[in-house]
Structure formats: structure tokens, C-alpha cells
Amino acid sequence: MSPSEQTHQPVRAATAAFIGTAVEFYDYYTYATAAALVLGEVFFPSSNHFLSTMASFGTFFVGFIARPLSGAVFGHLGDKLGRKKMLLLTMFLMGIATTGIGLLPGYASIGIWAPISLVLLRILQGIAVGGEWGGAVLMASEHAPTGRKTFFASFPQMGSPAGLILSLVSFRLVTSLDHASFVAWGWRLPFLASFVLLLIGMAIRLGVKESPEFEQLRKNREVLKSPVKEVLRTAWYPIVMAAMATTIGSAGFFFTNTFMISYVTGYLGMSKSFILDCLFVVTLIQLASQPVSALLAQRVGETRFLTCAALLSMLTPYPMFLLVKTQNPVAIVAGISFAVVVLSAVYAVIAGFMTPAFPTQVRYSGISIAYQLCATIAGGTTPLIGTALAQNYKGEWLPLAIFFSVLSAVSLVGIVGLGRYRKGIRAGETRAGMCEVT
């Protein structure tokens, strides 16, 4: 690689990871937003709003079921064939699934086949995003200069709020339609726009070279035959700790950006457009805060930074709900922003934090299984649990706040455990180096 390429490839790889992940998460958040706003009415019509919403969030959860298996499959292939090939494939699958949902007839047109088809396309979305995250993180971090891997690994993490911003903008435009038009065809437009974004994302990713660390493995013939089997055999502990560590970073977003839409519209009487406007401002603040968090963590140390962020996250839901209850837009934005900035601090840094815990030969498999395991157990169930709590404790926000605190506490345990594991790895490497010198 020429000196010019060595200088520009890390930036190009990080930029491609950011844009590509933004496209993928646009698709995923588009489904999440639609699940909160309209999919229950279109695909699960019922006179009981609670049942329709729970059925809609049920299909949202179905996409998460596919993610751990998908993470293992794409992790295996990514550790054997390369990171770049997997990222192109996952983007293609996501674009096709999302566009397909936009074209899908509702229950009134084809009956039971409508929700069945929706579930199948949702599973395809889950398969795509299950393989996306790990590859994007590794393309950014493995291209990064020494000493800056945490910051570069945060770029694909910024794709999440960027994708959410695109999704919120698209839904804000279509929710300005009258209700009948929105339900009939307006909600489909954000899904159909995915096809254009697919073409843009594919073009960008084609221009990035394969990860240099993977290329070195291939050159040295150190690629493993069964990376998933090896990582499960030798690194089950960091997988569990990494899955726990990322809990609030994954589940917290679906709490504040998916469940919260349903909660304030269904229980506090706010309009769809009003809460979408508030969440749009919150997400802009989140996008701006994440690189700052990554730079700060790189300066003070990831373990110390993440521990403080997880502790603070346990406290944030209480002022958030108090401010949301006022129904004042400034107060709502301030309350949700406080919670989101703190939990997104965990999300921004967690990728760079967990990556060094796994050897390069099994890294795609290890981080993908860990992240997608967490996404399924915590992320996919959060809107369902939140909706059930809101229904059982009508008018009370304290059970919801406690639930949020529990998610943060799980992250804290995982962060401490993974931090100790990484410290042990470094100590072992130092001892090995001393023995070699001796």
C-alpha cells in the first residue's frame, strides 16, 4: 500500500463504515418507528389498541431472534473470507427486505398472509443487521492508526443516530398527511426510499479495501477453519461480559426512541408529529455527543469512562420521566436528551472496548455473537416489556424508570467484568514478553 493510501484508507474506511451503518440502521429504525405508529393498525387490526401495539412490537422482536444466529454465521464467514464481502452482502439483504415491506399489502387486502409476509421480511432484516455491526466496527478499527482504534471504532456507532435522524425525518414528513392517507400509503414511502439508500451505500463500500489485519492473517495462512467453534470454546467469558456491557447502549435506544413514541401517544395523549419532532432534536444532540465521548474515553481510559457512564445512566430515567410528564417540548427534549447522551456514551465506546478482548482470527465472530445476543435478549424485548409495564401500571412512570435502571446496572456488571478480562490479557502478554526477553 502506498504512503498516500496508508494515510487515506483509515479515514475512508471509517467514513464508509459510518455511512453504510447509517443506511442499515435507517432501515431498522424505520421498521421500529412504523411498529410504534402504524403497523399494528395495518397488519394486526383490532378494536383493542393495546393488543394491536403488542402484536406490532412482537414482529419487531422477531427480527431480533434471527440476529444471534446471523451474527455467528456472518462472523464465521467474515473471519474466513473477509470483512468487506460480508458488509456488501448484509447491506443488499437489508435493502431488499425493507423495500419489500414498503410494497407489502395489508391485512385488509390479503388477510393472514399479510402478517406472515411481514414476519418473514422482518426476519430477513434481522439476518442482515446481525452480520452488519461486527463487520463495520472491524473495518473501521482494523484500518485505524495505533492508539486511535477506540475513536475510529465509534464511527459505525454514529451510524445509528444518523440512521435514526433519516428515519425520523421521513416519518415526520408522512405523518403530516391526514390519518387515512398515512395508514393507506404514506407509511410506505420511508420503506421504499431504502432502495435509493441501498444503491448509495453499496457504491461507497465497494471503494474501501479489505481490513489490513485480516489481509495479514490470510497472508500468514492463519485463518481458522472454524472460528465460531473456536471463539465459543476459548472465549465464552468475554462474549457474556461484552453482551452484558452493551445492554443499555442497545436496549436504551429502543426504550427512548421506540417504546417512548408508543408511551407518550398512547398514555399521555401527545400527537405523533409532536414526539417525532422532540426525538429529532434529541437525536441531533446524540449524534454530536458520541464522537466527544469516544475522544474523552480514549484520553481517560475506556474502562473508567464506561463505568462512570453506566453508573450515571442508572440515575437518568427519573428526571427524564418527570420532564416528559410536563408535555413541554423543551422539557421533553432536555429530559430524553440527558438519558440518551449518557447511554450513547456507552454505545459510542463499547465497540472499541470489546474488540481487543478477542484475537483477530475470531474477532468478527466474537463481537458479533456478543452484540447480537444482547440485542435479542435486551433490545428486542424492551418495547414489549415497556408496553406491558405501562399497561399494568397506568399513570405510573416509576416502574418504567426502574426497568431502565436495571438495564444500566447489567451494563455496569459487564463493563467491570470485561475490563478485568482485558487487564488480564495485557498482563499475560507482558509476562510472555518478559519471558521471551529472558
Side-chain angles (χ1 to χ4, degrees), residues 399-410:
L400 296 169
I402 293 172
F403 174 47
F404 191 98
S405 294
V406 170
L407 295 173
S408 302
V410 172

Side-chain angles (χ1 to χ4, degrees), residues 269-315:
M270 299 184 198
S271 69
K272 297 180 178 71
S273 58
F274 176 79
I275 188 60
L276 289 176
D277 285 344
C278 291
L279 289 177
F280 177 73
V281 177
V282 170
T283 310
L284 288 175
I285 295 170
Q286 176 196 342
L287 181 60
S289 73
Q290 284 192 197
V292 176
S293 296
L295 287 170
L296 185 58
Q298 198 166 261
R299 179 181 293 269
V300 304
E302 294 103 321
T303 303
R304 182 184 300 173
F305 179 87
L306 287 169
T307 300
C308 293
L311 282 169
L312 183 57
S313 185
M314 294 175 66
L315 305 176

Side-chain angles (χ1 to χ4, degrees), residues 87-103:
L87 289 179
L88 292 171
L89 179 57
T90 57
M91 175 162 284
F92 176 77
L93 292 176
M94 179 63 89
I96 294 301
T98 307
T99 305
I101 292 171
L103 297 171

Side-chain angles (χ1 to χ4, degrees), residues 131-194:
E132 158 70 22
W133 183 85
V137 166
L138 293 186
M139 282 293 279
S141 65
E142 292 180 351
H143 272 284
T146 303
R148 303 198 68 194
K149 291 186 179 294
T150 296
F151 178 63
F152 275 74
S154 73
F155 273 73
Q157 304 296 76
M158 289 190 288
S160 175
L164 180 57
I165 288 170
L166 291 174
S167 177
L168 289 172
V169 168
S170 65
F171 269 97
R172 181 62 183 88
L173 291 173
V174 296
T175 52
S176 62
L177 297 168
D178 63 86
H179 182 72
S181 298
F182 175 67
V183 173
W185 55 269
W187 69 269
R188 299 178 182 275
L189 299 181
F191 286 89
L192 297 178
S194 174

Side-chain angles (χ1 to χ4, degrees), residues 308-387:
C308 293
L311 282 169
L312 183 57
S313 185
M314 294 175 66
L315 305 176
T316 59
Y318 305 96
M320 177 180 71
F321 275 105
L322 287 172
L323 291 169
V324 166
K325 278 191 67 177
T326 67
Q327 302 201 25
N328 177 280
V330 175
I332 291 171
V333 168
I336 299 178
S337 293
F338 179 41
V340 166
V341 166
V342 176
L343 72 87
S344 66
V346 177
Y347 185 71
V349 179
I350 202 67
F353 181 63
M354 70 167 67
T355 297
F358 300 94
T360 309
Q361 294 97 321
V362 297
R363 189 170 288 157
Y364 201 144
S365 301
I367 68 171
S368 294
I369 292 170
Y371 184 83
Q372 304 308 338
L373 183 65
C374 166
T376 300
I377 296 173
T381 59
T382 289
L384 286 168
I385 295 172
T387 301

